[in-house]
Amino acid sequence: MSQENRGGKISLSDLRDQHKSESQQTQPRINTQNNNNNRNSSNNQYSSNTQNRPNNYNNSQPVINARLQEIMKGIKEKGYCESGSNILRKDLLSNEANQIVEQLSKISDTKKRLTTTQLRSFFGEVKKLSFKYEGNKMNEEINSRMVVDLLILKSKVEYKKDKISPEFRFFMNENLDIVINEGTIESYNNFVILFEVIIGLLYGKGQIDNK
C-alpha cells in the first residue's frame, strides 16, 4: 500500500525496506589475517596501504573481527527463540552469550573499554523502550512506532561511536537490526534479556571500567 493510500503514513514494511537498504550500504569490514593472500601483484600496493590505515579510518565501516561476525550471523539465522516457539534458546543465553563477551573483551584500545556510566546509559535507553511498550498488544501501528524508536536508538549508538569499541557498536547494531526486521515487541523483549545476560557476564569477567 502506498503512502498516499495510507494518508501519508509510513507503513512498517516501508520502514523495514528503507532500513535494509541503508544497512547494506554500511556493512562492516571483516578483519582476518589472510584476507589479502589471493590478490594479484597489481593490487599489492593498494593492499599494503589499506592495511596500514588506522582502525578509525572510515568509521561508518569499522573493522570487526571475523569471529564476532560469525556469532552474530548464526544468531540472525537461528533467531532468539527455539524453532516454532516463543521460548528463548538456551544456547543463546549460555554458549553464544559467553562467546560474544569473549569477543567484546578483545579491545586493543583501552580508551574504548566500556565504562559503568556508558553501559548504564545504553541499558537505560534499552529499558526505557521496554517499559514504553510493555503491555501493548501487537498491531502495525504500535510496531511501526517501536521500529522508529529503535532507529533513533541506533542513531544514539552511532553518536557514541568514537567512545565505544567497534565490537560493542557492532553488537548493538546487529541486535537492533534483528528486532527491526522482525518488527515485534516480543523480539525486542528477547533482545533485552540477551543484553542483560551480556552485561552480567561483562561485569563478572571484569571487563567494565568503574567510571
Side-chain angles (χ1 to χ4, degrees):
M1 186 179 293
S2 68
Q3 292 185 25
E4 290 116 9
N5 291 338
R6 295 175 59 85
K9 293 184 178 179
I10 301 176
S11 70
L12 179 58
S13 60
D14 292 332
L15 289 170
R16 287 175 180 164
D17 291 342
Q18 180 181 350
H19 174 69
K20 183 177 181 180
S21 176
E22 292 172 350
S23 296
Q24 289 174 344
Q25 296 174 18
T26 57
Q27 290 297 312
R29 293 176 290 129
I30 301 177
N31 182 19
T32 57
Q33 293 180 343
N34 299 314
N35 62 344
N36 292 319
N37 286 347
N38 295 325
R39 291 185 177 178
N40 59 41
S41 58
S42 64
N43 290 327
N44 284 344
Q45 185 61 44
Y46 173 80
S47 176
S48 176
N49 291 338
T50 301
Q51 292 174 351
N52 290 331
R53 287 170 178 166
N55 285 339
N56 62 357
Y57 178 83
N58 191 357
N59 281 329
S60 65
Q61 298 181 1
V63 177
I64 305 299
N65 70 67
R67 180 58 184 144
L68 182 57
Q69 293 214 49
E70 181 183 344
I71 296 167
M72 288 309 308
K73 180 180 179 182
I75 292 175
K76 280 188 170 183
E77 291 173 350
K78 291 178 283 190
Y80 291 136
C81 296
E82 299 286 354
S83 179
S85 77
N86 293 323
I87 301 174
L88 282 168
R89 292 187 296 107
K90 293 181 180 179
D91 202 41
L92 172 69
L93 302 181
S94 54
N95 294 336
E96 291 169 7
N98 275 289
Q99 291 169 13
I100 289 171
V101 169
E102 181 181 352
Q103 300 308 312
L104 293 179
S105 302
K106 295 179 179 179
I107 300 174
S108 57
D109 187 352
T110 56
K111 294 180 180 179
K112 290 192 175 183
R113 276 173 56 95
L114 282 171
T115 67
T116 301
T117 301
Q118 288 174 336
L119 206 53
R120 186 182 296 119
S121 175
F122 280 117
F123 189 66
E125 293 287 347
V126 168
K127 288 295 289 184
K128 185 189 300 182
L129 291 188
S130 181
F131 292 138
K132 179 177 180 178
Y133 293 103
E134 185 177 11
N136 281 281
K137 294 182 178 180
M138 280 196 306
N139 60 58
E140 185 171 354
E141 181 179 357
I142 292 296
N143 288 344
S144 294
R145 289 179 183 176
M146 184 188 72
V147 169
V148 170
D149 283 333
L150 292 173
L151 292 172
I152 293 173
L153 182 53
K154 284 195 71 172
S155 73
K156 292 180 179 180
V157 173
E158 292 303 297
Y159 179 74
K160 298 286 188 179
K161 67 184 179 183
D162 292 331
K163 296 183 179 179
I164 59 177
S165 71
E167 286 75 21
F168 182 73
R169 175 188 174 197
F170 177 74
F171 165 76
M172 290 294 295
N173 282 331
E174 286 292 285
N175 280 283
L176 292 174
D177 284 347
I178 291 174
V179 180
I180 288 170
N181 290 331
E182 293 185 358
T184 66
I185 296 172
E186 287 79 6
S187 179
Y188 184 73
N189 289 334
N190 291 335
F191 162 59
V192 173
I193 294 172
L194 174 61
F195 195 20
E196 288 177 325
V197 171
I198 294 296
I199 290 174
L201 291 172
L202 284 169
Y203 272 109
K205 294 180 182 295
Q207 295 300 315
I208 306 298
D209 285 345
N210 188 23
K211 59 182 181 180

